[in-house]
Amino acid sequence: MFFLFWGFFVWLGATLIFRFGGQFFFLYDQPMLMIMSYMLVVPLIAVLTVPIYKWKKVNSSQKIKAALFIALPGMLIDAVVLIYFQKLFPNLDPNTDKYFASWLLWAYSLILLSGFIGKQVEIGE
């Protein structure tokens, strides 16, 4: 349950940041800033996941499940949020919706990948 709540709070924090400051992250006419927003999320996701796994003493076989539970609330909520993108993010140019969705997929993928850090996974396992 903890990881579901943690995932919700991570989603809420990110959503509030983009609701009030997203216009500084998603500037499709400035590719370097866009690339930086994709790059900066890598260490951010590491900070939001790896220490939590250690704090909660999650063993390597439980990390994948924990990562799934962190990502799941945001993925489910964002599936609806993206439908109402223009209403919920009036500070963002409507043309940035695809970049926003792409960034979300990237971030959720990184969360899921964090569950594999330090775990050897065999194909077909």
Side-chain angles (χ1 to χ4, degrees):
M1 249 349 226
F2 169 82
F3 292 102
L4 286 171
F5 284 118
W6 179 247
F8 172 78
F9 288 116
V10 168
W11 169 83
L12 182 62
T15 299
L16 290 173
I17 289 168
F18 292 129
R19 170 59 183 88
F20 296 108
Q23 67 273 18
F24 302 113
F25 294 94
F26 298 106
L27 302 169
Y28 58 89
D29 59 339
Q30 296 185 22
M32 286 310 293
L33 286 176
M34 291 286 288
I35 290 169
M36 284 178 47
S37 73
Y38 280 77
M39 289 174 32
L40 288 174
V41 77
V42 174
L44 179 63
I45 294 299
V47 166
L48 292 172
T49 57
V50 176
I52 299 298
Y53 301 147
K54 289 180 183 178
W55 175 52
K56 293 305 244 176
K57 296 179 175 69
V58 176
N59 67 40
S60 63
S61 64
Q62 296 171 322
K63 278 185 190 176
I64 297 170
K65 186 176 178 181
L68 175 65
F69 284 168
I70 293 170
L72 196 58
M75 292 173 76
L76 292 172
I77 297 168
D78 279 335
V80 175
V81 164
L82 287 171
I83 294 170
Y84 301 102
F85 178 80
Q86 288 180 309
K87 290 181 182 179
L88 296 172
F89 299 100
N91 58 320
L92 294 176
D93 183 321
N95 294 321
T96 62
D97 61 346
K98 60 185 163 242
Y99 302 107
F100 184 71
S102 168
W103 188 92
L104 289 174
L105 285 171
W106 171 244
Y108 290 128
S109 296
L110 292 171
I111 291 171
L112 294 173
L113 286 171
S114 75
F116 292 95
I117 293 173
K119 178 172 175 46
Q120 293 181 352
V121 178
E122 293 182 29
I123 304 296
E125 191 178 316

